[in-house]
Amino acid sequence: METKIRMVNRTCTDEGQINKFLRGAQTVFLGLVDNNMPYVIPLNFVFANGNFYIHGANEGRKINILNTNANACLTISEIYGTIADPIPANTDTAYMSVIANGKIEIVTDLNEATVAMQEMLDKYVPNYYKVPLSKAHVDKYLSSLGSKTVVLKLKPITMTAKEHKGEEQMKFYPGRSVSQDLTR
């Protein structure tokens, strides 16, 4: 599957920048297909060793879908502000986004699952815990609803990144008006 970005001037190919963005972004949207209908859910995630890792209950709609169709799309997007312009059609958004397609698989290797869960803790609550996550905790953990936690991995088949930095001096702020920008 080949994925092309229509606005090629917004394509980001700098792997360092993409990795930095993925380390800092907070939410991934997982897109699945359930009986020909899209199903998209927001999740925490980490990107490590070229793979996306997410986690959740080992039962429910997401798992039911994945048991019949493991194809997935992950979308990560962060908005950095609105770019004002006296011409309404030129008003824009400063952003970065990554879209990855691939197949989701359940991580069955306890070492890999523990590393992925530790990476999530390091990302979302850095330096909070004084000792590393144990394999026994990952292996035996149950959610508040009594479900076992499962770690899922998507190794991208395709991945694109797009960004628009916008001009910093044109970023909208409350109180800014078009009359300020007409004199530019």
Side-chain angles (χ1 to χ4, degrees), residues 5-56:
I5 294 176
R6 184 179 55 84
M7 294 185 72
V8 294
N9 62 325
R10 293 193 178 178
T11 301
C12 177
T13 57
D14 181 332
E15 288 202 29
Q17 185 177 346
I18 294 167
N19 286 328
K20 181 181 177 186
F21 169 73
L22 292 173
R23 279 191 308 274
Q26 296 295 300
T27 306
V28 66
F29 291 88
L30 169 64
L32 304 171
V33 178
D34 185 13
N35 294 318
N36 295 322
M37 288 299 292
Y39 176 65
V40 179
I41 53 175
L43 298 163
N44 292 334
F45 79 100
V46 291
F47 182 71
N49 302 317
N51 299 305
F52 289 90
Y53 291 92
I54 56 177
H55 68 92

mmCIF file of all heavy atoms in Angstrom, residues 5-56:
data_model
loop_
_atom_site.group_PDB
_atom_site.id
_atom_site.type_symbol
_atom_site.label_atom_id
_atom_site.label_comp_id
_atom_site.label_asym_id
_atom_site.label_seq_id
_atom_site.Cartn_x
_atom_site.Cartn_y
_atom_site.Cartn_z
ATOM 1 N N ILE A 5 1.265 12.028 0.252
ATOM 2 C CA ILE A 5 0.741 13.253 0.840
ATOM 3 C C ILE A 5 0.470 14.222 -0.299
ATOM 4 O O ILE A 5 1.356 14.515 -1.107
ATOM 5 C CB ILE A 5 1.743 13.844 1.858
ATOM 6 C CG1 ILE A 5 1.874 12.885 3.044
ATOM 7 C CG2 ILE A 5 1.307 15.227 2.302
ATOM 8 C CD1 ILE A 5 2.898 13.310 4.068
ATOM 9 N N ARG A 6 -0.766 14.692 -0.371
ATOM 10 C CA ARG A 6 -1.159 15.601 -1.456
ATOM 11 C C ARG A 6 -0.349 16.888 -1.410
ATOM 12 O O ARG A 6 0.131 17.364 -2.429
ATOM 13 C CB ARG A 6 -2.664 15.888 -1.366
ATOM 14 C CG ARG A 6 -3.195 16.734 -2.505
ATOM 15 C CD ARG A 6 -4.692 16.966 -2.384
ATOM 16 N NE ARG A 6 -5.089 17.540 -1.111
ATOM 17 C CZ ARG A 6 -5.066 18.850 -0.828
ATOM 18 N NH1 ARG A 6 -4.670 19.710 -1.745
ATOM 19 N NH2 ARG A 6 -5.437 19.301 0.348
ATOM 20 N N MET A 7 -0.233 17.479 -0.242
ATOM 21 C CA MET A 7 0.537 18.729 -0.112
ATOM 22 C C MET A 7 1.997 18.368 0.204
ATOM 23 O O MET A 7 2.428 18.408 1.353
ATOM 24 C CB MET A 7 -0.062 19.617 0.978
ATOM 25 C CG MET A 7 -1.452 20.115 0.623
ATOM 26 S SD MET A 7 -2.107 21.270 1.831
ATOM 27 C CE MET A 7 -1.110 22.717 1.496
ATOM 28 N N VAL A 8 2.727 17.987 -0.840
ATOM 29 C CA VAL A 8 4.087 17.481 -0.657
ATOM 30 C C VAL A 8 5.006 18.471 0.052
ATOM 31 O O VAL A 8 5.956 18.054 0.718
ATOM 32 C CB VAL A 8 4.710 17.039 -2.005
ATOM 33 C CG1 VAL A 8 3.974 15.850 -2.565
ATOM 34 C CG2 VAL A 8 4.749 18.174 -3.003
ATOM 35 N N ASN A 9 4.709 19.762 -0.041
ATOM 36 C CA ASN A 9 5.557 20.744 0.636
ATOM 37 C C ASN A 9 5.416 20.664 2.161
ATOM 38 O O ASN A 9 6.200 21.261 2.883
ATOM 39 C CB ASN A 9 5.245 22.165 0.142
ATOM 40 C CG ASN A 9 3.817 22.582 0.432
ATOM 41 O OD1 ASN A 9 2.895 21.760 0.379
ATOM 42 N ND2 ASN A 9 3.618 23.855 0.714
ATOM 43 N N ARG A 10 4.438 19.924 2.655
ATOM 44 C CA ARG A 10 4.268 19.754 4.107
ATOM 45 C C ARG A 10 4.753 18.391 4.597
ATOM 46 O O ARG A 10 4.627 18.067 5.766
ATOM 47 C CB ARG A 10 2.817 19.990 4.495
ATOM 48 C CG ARG A 10 2.428 21.450 4.271
ATOM 49 C CD ARG A 10 1.144 21.809 4.914
ATOM 50 N NE ARG A 10 0.873 23.240 4.692
ATOM 51 C CZ ARG A 10 -0.205 23.837 5.099
ATOM 52 N NH1 ARG A 10 -1.139 23.173 5.760
ATOM 53 N NH2 ARG A 10 -0.377 25.128 4.865
ATOM 54 N N THR A 11 5.325 17.606 3.700
ATOM 55 C CA THR A 11 5.859 16.306 4.081
ATOM 56 C C THR A 11 7.066 16.496 4.988
ATOM 57 O O THR A 11 7.923 17.337 4.731
ATOM 58 C CB THR A 11 6.288 15.511 2.828
ATOM 59 O OG1 THR A 11 5.153 15.347 1.992
ATOM 60 C CG2 THR A 11 6.862 14.158 3.200
ATOM 61 N N CYS A 12 7.128 15.714 6.053
ATOM 62 C CA CYS A 12 8.286 15.716 6.946
ATOM 63 C C CYS A 12 8.971 14.361 6.812
ATOM 64 O O CYS A 12 8.332 13.319 7.020
ATOM 65 C CB CYS A 12 7.855 15.953 8.396
ATOM 66 S SG CYS A 12 9.242 15.890 9.558
ATOM 67 N N THR A 13 10.247 14.380 6.457
ATOM 68 C CA THR A 13 11.004 13.138 6.316
ATOM 69 C C THR A 13 12.162 13.056 7.309
ATOM 70 O O THR A 13 12.892 12.072 7.319
ATOM 71 C CB THR A 13 11.555 12.997 4.884
ATOM 72 O OG1 THR A 13 12.359 14.147 4.583
ATOM 73 C CG2 THR A 13 10.427 12.875 3.860
ATOM 74 N N ASP A 14 12.316 14.060 8.152
ATOM 75 C CA ASP A 14 13.388 14.100 9.139
ATOM 76 C C ASP A 14 13.062 13.112 10.268
ATOM 77 O O ASP A 14 12.221 13.391 11.129
ATOM 78 C CB ASP A 14 13.525 15.524 9.677
ATOM 79 C CG ASP A 14 14.632 15.685 10.697
ATOM 80 O OD1 ASP A 14 14.961 14.703 11.406
ATOM 81 O OD2 ASP A 14 15.158 16.801 10.813
ATOM 82 N N GLU A 15 13.730 11.943 10.256
ATOM 83 C CA GLU A 15 13.427 10.901 11.238
ATOM 84 C C GLU A 15 13.647 11.373 12.668
ATOM 85 O O GLU A 15 12.895 10.984 13.567
ATOM 86 C CB GLU A 15 14.230 9.638 10.942
ATOM 87 C CG GLU A 15 13.705 8.936 9.714
ATOM 88 C CD GLU A 15 14.074 7.476 9.663
ATOM 89 O OE1 GLU A 15 14.232 6.854 10.729
ATOM 90 O OE2 GLU A 15 14.181 6.970 8.546
ATOM 91 N N GLY A 16 14.648 12.193 12.896
ATOM 92 C CA GLY A 16 14.881 12.726 14.237
ATOM 93 C C GLY A 16 13.711 13.575 14.705
ATOM 94 O O GLY A 16 13.257 13.456 15.856
ATOM 95 N N GLN A 17 13.217 14.421 13.829
ATOM 96 C CA GLN A 17 12.069 15.266 14.172
ATOM 97 C C GLN A 17 10.812 14.434 14.387
ATOM 98 O O GLN A 17 10.031 14.678 15.299
ATOM 99 C CB GLN A 17 11.847 16.297 13.071
ATOM 100 C CG GLN A 17 10.747 17.288 13.395
ATOM 101 C CD GLN A 17 10.601 18.350 12.315
ATOM 102 O OE1 GLN A 17 11.448 18.517 11.457
ATOM 103 N NE2 GLN A 17 9.508 19.074 12.376
ATOM 104 N N ILE A 18 10.612 13.420 13.534
ATOM 105 C CA ILE A 18 9.446 12.545 13.672
ATOM 106 C C ILE A 18 9.512 11.794 15.003
ATOM 107 O O ILE A 18 8.527 11.729 15.745
ATOM 108 C CB ILE A 18 9.347 11.573 12.481
ATOM 109 C CG1 ILE A 18 9.053 12.348 11.189
ATOM 110 C CG2 ILE A 18 8.277 10.504 12.734
ATOM 111 C CD1 ILE A 18 9.239 11.547 9.915
ATOM 112 N N ASN A 19 10.671 11.239 15.327
ATOM 113 C CA ASN A 19 10.827 10.504 16.593
ATOM 114 C C ASN A 19 10.622 11.417 17.796
ATOM 115 O O ASN A 19 9.976 11.017 18.773
ATOM 116 C CB ASN A 19 12.185 9.822 16.661
ATOM 117 C CG ASN A 19 12.254 8.607 15.765
ATOM 118 O OD1 ASN A 19 11.273 7.911 15.548
ATOM 119 N ND2 ASN A 19 13.428 8.353 15.217
ATOM 120 N N LYS A 20 11.130 12.627 17.727
ATOM 121 C CA LYS A 20 10.921 13.589 18.826
ATOM 122 C C LYS A 20 9.433 13.893 18.988
ATOM 123 O O LYS A 20 8.902 13.939 20.100
ATOM 124 C CB LYS A 20 11.709 14.872 18.550
ATOM 125 C CG LYS A 20 11.571 15.913 19.629
ATOM 126 C CD LYS A 20 12.358 17.171 19.298
ATOM 127 C CE LYS A 20 12.117 18.217 20.377
ATOM 128 N NZ LYS A 20 12.730 19.491 20.048
ATOM 129 N N PHE A 21 8.751 14.106 17.870
ATOM 130 C CA PHE A 21 7.312 14.358 17.901
ATOM 131 C C PHE A 21 6.573 13.178 18.534
ATOM 132 O O PHE A 21 5.720 13.351 19.410
ATOM 133 C CB PHE A 21 6.804 14.607 16.474
ATOM 134 C CG PHE A 21 5.310 14.613 16.356
ATOM 135 C CD1 PHE A 21 4.559 15.679 16.841
ATOM 136 C CD2 PHE A 21 4.638 13.545 15.777
ATOM 137 C CE1 PHE A 21 3.169 15.684 16.752
ATOM 138 C CE2 PHE A 21 3.255 13.547 15.674
ATOM 139 C CZ PHE A 21 2.521 14.612 16.168
ATOM 140 N N LEU A 22 6.898 11.950 18.111
ATOM 141 C CA LEU A 22 6.208 10.765 18.633
ATOM 142 C C LEU A 22 6.519 10.531 20.113
ATOM 143 O O LEU A 22 5.672 10.026 20.852
ATOM 144 C CB LEU A 22 6.559 9.530 17.805
ATOM 145 C CG LEU A 22 6.011 9.541 16.373
ATOM 146 C CD1 LEU A 22 6.558 8.354 15.578
ATOM 147 C CD2 LEU A 22 4.501 9.551 16.364
ATOM 148 N N ARG A 23 7.703 10.908 20.565
ATOM 149 C CA ARG A 23 8.025 10.788 22.002
ATOM 150 C C ARG A 23 7.185 11.742 22.836
ATOM 151 O O ARG A 23 6.817 11.432 23.959
ATOM 152 C CB ARG A 23 9.511 11.049 22.250
ATOM 153 C CG ARG A 23 10.406 9.871 21.965
ATOM 154 C CD ARG A 23 11.820 10.085 22.485
ATOM 155 N NE ARG A 23 12.439 11.330 22.060
ATOM 156 C CZ ARG A 23 13.095 11.513 20.924
ATOM 157 N NH1 ARG A 23 13.226 10.522 20.074
ATOM 158 N NH2 ARG A 23 13.623 12.671 20.617
ATOM 159 N N GLY A 24 6.872 12.919 22.287
ATOM 160 C CA GLY A 24 6.151 13.926 23.062
ATOM 161 C C GLY A 24 4.643 13.907 22.894
ATOM 162 O O GLY A 24 3.917 14.345 23.790
ATOM 163 N N ALA A 25 4.149 13.413 21.770
ATOM 164 C CA ALA A 25 2.700 13.416 21.526
ATOM 165 C C ALA A 25 2.006 12.521 22.546
ATOM 166 O O ALA A 25 2.519 11.475 22.929
ATOM 167 C CB ALA A 25 2.410 12.946 20.105
ATOM 168 N N GLN A 26 0.826 12.938 22.971
ATOM 169 C CA GLN A 26 0.148 12.254 24.061
ATOM 170 C C GLN A 26 -0.871 11.202 23.640
ATOM 171 O O GLN A 26 -1.111 10.253 24.371
ATOM 172 C CB GLN A 26 -0.559 13.292 24.952
ATOM 173 C CG GLN A 26 0.406 14.236 25.640
ATOM 174 C CD GLN A 26 1.301 13.512 26.626
ATOM 175 O OE1 GLN A 26 0.814 12.902 27.561
ATOM 176 N NE2 GLN A 26 2.601 13.560 26.405
ATOM 177 N N THR A 27 -1.519 11.375 22.495
ATOM 178 C CA THR A 27 -2.640 10.504 22.144
ATOM 179 C C THR A 27 -2.513 9.984 20.725
ATOM 180 O O THR A 27 -2.201 10.735 19.803
ATOM 181 C CB THR A 27 -3.978 11.279 22.273
ATOM 182 O OG1 THR A 27 -4.060 11.848 23.574
ATOM 183 C CG2 THR A 27 -5.174 10.379 22.041
ATOM 184 N N VAL A 28 -2.760 8.691 20.575
ATOM 185 C CA VAL A 28 -2.861 8.079 19.254
ATOM 186 C C VAL A 28 -4.325 7.706 19.049
ATOM 187 O O VAL A 28 -5.015 7.317 19.992
ATOM 188 C CB VAL A 28 -1.955 6.831 19.114
ATOM 189 C CG1 VAL A 28 -2.396 5.689 20.009
ATOM 190 C CG2 VAL A 28 -1.877 6.357 17.672
ATOM 191 N N PHE A 29 -4.800 7.865 17.822
ATOM 192 C CA PHE A 29 -6.146 7.430 17.471
ATOM 193 C C PHE A 29 -6.009 6.156 16.655
ATOM 194 O O PHE A 29 -5.406 6.169 15.580
ATOM 195 C CB PHE A 29 -6.894 8.522 16.699
ATOM 196 C CG PHE A 29 -7.214 9.690 17.576
ATOM 197 C CD1 PHE A 29 -6.303 10.729 17.736
ATOM 198 C CD2 PHE A 29 -8.412 9.734 18.286
ATOM 199 C CE1 PHE A 29 -6.588 11.798 18.573
ATOM 200 C CE2 PHE A 29 -8.701 10.805 19.124
ATOM 201 C CZ PHE A 29 -7.786 11.830 19.265
ATOM 202 N N LEU A 30 -6.531 5.074 17.204
ATOM 203 C CA LEU A 30 -6.487 3.769 16.556
ATOM 204 C C LEU A 30 -7.744 3.599 15.728
ATOM 205 O O LEU A 30 -8.855 3.661 16.263
ATOM 206 C CB LEU A 30 -6.404 2.659 17.616
ATOM 207 C CG LEU A 30 -6.605 1.221 17.129
ATOM 208 C CD1 LEU A 30 -5.503 0.812 16.155
ATOM 209 C CD2 LEU A 30 -6.666 0.273 18.327
ATOM 210 N N GLY A 31 -7.568 3.397 14.423
ATOM 211 C CA GLY A 31 -8.687 3.192 13.524
ATOM 212 C C GLY A 31 -8.756 1.739 13.082
ATOM 213 O O GLY A 31 -7.774 1.184 12.591
ATOM 214 N N LEU A 32 -9.938 1.148 13.299
ATOM 215 C CA LEU A 32 -10.197 -0.235 12.902
ATOM 216 C C LEU A 32 -11.454 -0.265 12.054
ATOM 217 O O LEU A 32 -12.179 0.727 11.983
ATOM 218 C CB LEU A 32 -10.394 -1.110 14.155
ATOM 219 C CG LEU A 32 -9.252 -1.108 15.174
ATOM 220 C CD1 LEU A 32 -9.679 -1.833 16.442
ATOM 221 C CD2 LEU A 32 -7.999 -1.731 14.582
ATOM 222 N N VAL A 33 -11.723 -1.413 11.432
ATOM 223 C CA VAL A 33 -12.939 -1.566 10.647
ATOM 224 C C VAL A 33 -13.770 -2.679 11.271
ATOM 225 O O VAL A 33 -13.310 -3.818 11.383
ATOM 226 C CB VAL A 33 -12.631 -1.883 9.163
ATOM 227 C CG1 VAL A 33 -13.919 -2.090 8.384
ATOM 228 C CG2 VAL A 33 -11.805 -0.772 8.553
ATOM 229 N N ASP A 34 -14.989 -2.331 11.684
ATOM 230 C CA ASP A 34 -15.912 -3.257 12.325
ATOM 231 C C ASP A 34 -17.131 -3.433 11.425
ATOM 232 O O ASP A 34 -17.977 -2.541 11.349
ATOM 233 C CB ASP A 34 -16.326 -2.697 13.691
ATOM 234 C CG ASP A 34 -17.185 -3.646 14.492
ATOM 235 O OD1 ASP A 34 -17.275 -4.832 14.134
ATOM 236 O OD2 ASP A 34 -17.759 -3.188 15.504
ATOM 237 N N ASN A 35 -17.197 -4.570 10.719
ATOM 238 C CA ASN A 35 -18.311 -4.828 9.799
ATOM 239 C C ASN A 35 -18.527 -3.665 8.825
ATOM 240 O O ASN A 35 -19.620 -3.134 8.709
ATOM 241 C CB ASN A 35 -19.599 -5.128 10.567
ATOM 242 C CG ASN A 35 -19.498 -6.422 11.335
ATOM 243 O OD1 ASN A 35 -18.975 -7.404 10.822
ATOM 244 N ND2 ASN A 35 -19.959 -6.425 12.567
ATOM 245 N N ASN A 36 -17.469 -3.251 8.155
ATOM 246 C CA ASN A 36 -17.491 -2.171 7.169
ATOM 247 C C ASN A 36 -17.749 -0.788 7.747
ATOM 248 O O ASN A 36 -18.023 0.146 7.004
ATOM 249 C CB ASN A 36 -18.500 -2.466 6.047
ATOM 250 C CG ASN A 36 -18.098 -3.679 5.246
ATOM 251 O OD1 ASN A 36 -16.911 -3.886 4.983
ATOM 252 N ND2 ASN A 36 -19.049 -4.495 4.867
ATOM 253 N N MET A 37 -17.719 -0.655 9.056
ATOM 254 C CA MET A 37 -17.892 0.660 9.694
ATOM 255 C C MET A 37 -16.606 1.018 10.433
ATOM 256 O O MET A 37 -16.016 0.176 11.109
ATOM 257 C CB MET A 37 -19.048 0.631 10.698
ATOM 258 C CG MET A 37 -20.418 0.563 10.054
ATOM 259 S SD MET A 37 -20.790 1.966 8.984
ATOM 260 C CE MET A 37 -20.898 3.286 10.152
ATOM 261 N N PRO A 38 -16.168 2.275 10.331
ATOM 262 C CA PRO A 38 -14.973 2.680 11.055
ATOM 263 C C PRO A 38 -15.223 2.701 12.555
ATOM 264 O O PRO A 38 -16.319 3.005 13.020
ATOM 265 C CB PRO A 38 -14.690 4.092 10.543
ATOM 266 C CG PRO A 38 -15.785 4.462 9.633
ATOM 267 C CD PRO A 38 -16.733 3.328 9.510
ATOM 268 N N TYR A 39 -14.197 2.361 13.299
ATOM 269 C CA TYR A 39 -14.214 2.420 14.757
ATOM 270 C C TYR A 39 -12.877 3.030 15.151
ATOM 271 O O TYR A 39 -11.819 2.463 14.867
ATOM 272 C CB TYR A 39 -14.380 1.014 15.339
ATOM 273 C CG TYR A 39 -14.323 0.954 16.843
ATOM 274 C CD1 TYR A 39 -15.299 1.572 17.623
ATOM 275 C CD2 TYR A 39 -13.311 0.258 17.494
ATOM 276 C CE1 TYR A 39 -15.255 1.507 19.007
ATOM 277 C CE2 TYR A 39 -13.267 0.179 18.879
ATOM 278 C CZ TYR A 39 -14.245 0.801 19.628
ATOM 279 O OH TYR A 39 -14.205 0.737 20.994
ATOM 280 N N VAL A 40 -12.905 4.200 15.763
ATOM 281 C CA VAL A 40 -11.682 4.923 16.103
ATOM 282 C C VAL A 40 -11.702 5.235 17.595
ATOM 283 O O VAL A 40 -12.690 5.756 18.109
ATOM 284 C CB VAL A 40 -11.567 6.236 15.288
ATOM 285 C CG1 VAL A 40 -10.298 7.002 15.664
ATOM 286 C CG2 VAL A 40 -11.603 5.945 13.792
ATOM 287 N N ILE A 41 -10.607 4.911 18.265
ATOM 288 C CA ILE A 41 -10.522 5.171 19.701
ATOM 289 C C ILE A 41 -9.191 5.836 20.052
ATOM 290 O O ILE A 41 -8.158 5.517 19.474
ATOM 291 C CB ILE A 41 -10.703 3.885 20.530
ATOM 292 C CG1 ILE A 41 -9.746 2.784 20.068
ATOM 293 C CG2 ILE A 41 -12.124 3.394 20.478
ATOM 294 C CD1 ILE A 41 -9.789 1.539 20.926
ATOM 295 N N PRO A 42 -9.225 6.777 21.009
ATOM 296 C CA PRO A 42 -7.993 7.425 21.468
ATOM 297 C C PRO A 42 -7.322 6.565 22.535
ATOM 298 O O PRO A 42 -7.990 5.976 23.387
ATOM 299 C CB PRO A 42 -8.500 8.743 22.058
ATOM 300 C CG PRO A 42 -9.897 8.432 22.512
ATOM 301 C CD PRO A 42 -10.427 7.382 21.589
ATOM 302 N N LEU A 43 -6.003 6.495 22.474
ATOM 303 C CA LEU A 43 -5.239 5.681 23.421
ATOM 304 C C LEU A 43 -3.908 6.335 23.748
ATOM 305 O O LEU A 43 -3.398 7.156 22.988
ATOM 306 C CB LEU A 43 -4.949 4.302 22.798
ATOM 307 C CG LEU A 43 -6.145 3.434 22.441
ATOM 308 C CD1 LEU A 43 -5.729 2.338 21.473
ATOM 309 C CD2 LEU A 43 -6.746 2.840 23.699
ATOM 310 N N ASN A 44 -3.317 5.929 24.855
ATOM 311 C CA ASN A 44 -1.923 6.249 25.151
ATOM 312 C C ASN A 44 -1.067 5.342 24.278
ATOM 313 O O ASN A 44 -1.499 4.252 23.891
ATOM 314 C CB ASN A 44 -1.601 5.991 26.613
ATOM 315 C CG ASN A 44 -2.308 6.953 27.539
ATOM 316 O OD1 ASN A 44 -2.650 8.062 27.158
ATOM 317 N ND2 ASN A 44 -2.544 6.524 28.757
ATOM 318 N N PHE A 45 0.160 5.751 24.008
ATOM 319 C CA PHE A 45 1.025 4.953 23.147
ATOM 320 C C PHE A 45 2.481 5.299 23.384
ATOM 321 O O PHE A 45 2.811 6.330 23.965
ATOM 322 C CB PHE A 45 0.690 5.208 21.668
ATOM 323 C CG PHE A 45 1.282 6.497 21.149
ATOM 324 C CD1 PHE A 45 2.441 6.495 20.394
ATOM 325 C CD2 PHE A 45 0.699 7.714 21.454
ATOM 326 C CE1 PHE A 45 3.001 7.686 19.928
ATOM 327 C CE2 PHE A 45 1.246 8.903 20.995
ATOM 328 C CZ PHE A 45 2.395 8.899 20.232
ATOM 329 N N VAL A 46 3.336 4.424 22.897
ATOM 330 C CA VAL A 46 4.758 4.732 22.757
ATOM 331 C C VAL A 46 5.195 4.234 21.388
ATOM 332 O O VAL A 46 4.603 3.308 20.821
ATOM 333 C CB VAL A 46 5.648 4.103 23.858
ATOM 334 C CG1 VAL A 46 5.395 4.759 25.200
ATOM 335 C CG2 VAL A 46 5.499 2.609 23.925
ATOM 336 N N PHE A 47 6.233 4.872 20.882
ATOM 337 C CA PHE A 47 6.863 4.462 19.635
ATOM 338 C C PHE A 47 8.280 4.064 20.006
ATOM 339 O O PHE A 47 9.055 4.903 20.483
ATOM 340 C CB PHE A 47 6.849 5.608 18.622
ATOM 341 C CG PHE A 47 7.440 5.247 17.290
ATOM 342 C CD1 PHE A 47 6.771 4.389 16.433
ATOM 343 C CD2 PHE A 47 8.659 5.774 16.891
ATOM 344 C CE1 PHE A 47 7.301 4.059 15.188
ATOM 345 C CE2 PHE A 47 9.189 5.456 15.646
ATOM 346 C CZ PHE A 47 8.517 4.593 14.801
ATOM 347 N N ALA A 48 8.598 2.788 19.854
ATOM 348 C CA ALA A 48 9.923 2.302 20.250
ATOM 349 C C ALA A 48 10.400 1.259 19.249
ATOM 350 O O ALA A 48 9.631 0.381 18.833
ATOM 351 C CB ALA A 48 9.852 1.693 21.652
ATOM 352 N N ASN A 49 11.657 1.358 18.883
ATOM 353 C CA ASN A 49 12.269 0.396 17.962
ATOM 354 C C ASN A 49 11.477 0.241 16.671
ATOM 355 O O ASN A 49 11.344 -0.863 16.135
ATOM 356 C CB ASN A 49 12.445 -0.962 18.649
ATOM 357 C CG ASN A 49 13.290 -0.852 19.897
ATOM 358 O OD1 ASN A 49 14.316 -0.174 19.912
ATOM 359 N ND2 ASN A 49 12.848 -1.491 20.959
ATOM 360 N N GLY A 50 10.890 1.352 16.195
ATOM 361 C CA GLY A 50 10.163 1.333 14.933
ATOM 362 C C GLY A 50 8.746 0.781 15.021
ATOM 363 O O GLY A 50 8.094 0.599 14.001
ATOM 364 N N ASN A 51 8.278 0.505 16.237
ATOM 365 C CA ASN A 51 6.938 -0.047 16.448
ATOM 366 C C ASN A 51 6.116 0.865 17.348
ATOM 367 O O ASN A 51 6.663 1.541 18.227
ATOM 368 C CB ASN A 51 7.015 -1.428 17.111
ATOM 369 C CG ASN A 51 7.760 -2.426 16.274
ATOM 370 O OD1 ASN A 51 7.426 -2.651 15.116
ATOM 371 N ND2 ASN A 51 8.791 -3.027 16.838
ATOM 372 N N PHE A 52 4.806 0.832 17.143
ATOM 373 C CA PHE A 52 3.879 1.515 18.040
ATOM 374 C C PHE A 52 3.343 0.486 19.027
ATOM 375 O O PHE A 52 2.979 -0.634 18.623
ATOM 376 C CB PHE A 52 2.701 2.106 17.256
ATOM 377 C CG PHE A 52 3.068 3.283 16.411
ATOM 378 C CD1 PHE A 52 3.477 3.119 15.107
ATOM 379 C CD2 PHE A 52 2.991 4.573 16.934
ATOM 380 C CE1 PHE A 52 3.814 4.209 14.323
ATOM 381 C CE2 PHE A 52 3.330 5.670 16.156
ATOM 382 C CZ PHE A 52 3.740 5.485 14.849
ATOM 383 N N TYR A 53 3.301 0.864 20.299
ATOM 384 C CA TYR A 53 2.738 -0.006 21.329
ATOM 385 C C TYR A 53 1.582 0.712 22.017
ATOM 386 O O TYR A 53 1.689 1.901 22.346
ATOM 387 C CB TYR A 53 3.796 -0.360 22.377
ATOM 388 C CG TYR A 53 4.890 -1.258 21.853
ATOM 389 C CD1 TYR A 53 6.063 -0.719 21.335
ATOM 390 C CD2 TYR A 53 4.743 -2.641 21.880
ATOM 391 C CE1 TYR A 53 7.067 -1.534 20.849
ATOM 392 C CE2 TYR A 53 5.753 -3.468 21.392
ATOM 393 C CZ TYR A 53 6.908 -2.909 20.885
ATOM 394 O OH TYR A 53 7.898 -3.727 20.393
ATOM 395 N N ILE A 54 0.501 -0.022 22.210
ATOM 396 C CA ILE A 54 -0.652 0.462 22.963
ATOM 397 C C ILE A 54 -1.030 -0.666 23.924
ATOM 398 O O ILE A 54 -0.495 -1.778 23.829
ATOM 399 C CB ILE A 54 -1.833 0.823 22.034
ATOM 400 C CG1 ILE A 54 -2.226 -0.367 21.161
ATOM 401 C CG2 ILE A 54 -1.483 2.036 21.169
ATOM 402 C CD1 ILE A 54 -3.424 -0.131 20.265
ATOM 403 N N HIS A 55 -1.938 -0.369 24.827
ATOM 404 C CA HIS A 55 -2.378 -1.431 25.734
ATOM 405 C C HIS A 55 -3.838 -1.228 26.080
ATOM 406 O O HIS A 55 -4.415 -0.172 25.847
ATOM 407 C CB HIS A 55 -1.531 -1.450 27.017
ATOM 408 C CG HIS A 55 -1.741 -0.246 27.878
ATOM 409 N ND1 HIS A 55 -2.678 -0.227 28.887
ATOM 410 C CD2 HIS A 55 -1.176 0.973 27.873
ATOM 411 C CE1 HIS A 55 -2.661 0.962 29.472
ATOM 412 N NE2 HIS A 55 -1.759 1.714 28.863
ATOM 413 N N GLY A 56 -4.430 -2.258 26.639
ATOM 414 C CA GLY A 56 -5.823 -2.180 27.049
ATOM 415 C C GLY A 56 -6.302 -3.538 27.530
ATOM 416 O O GLY A 56 -5.515 -4.481 27.664
#
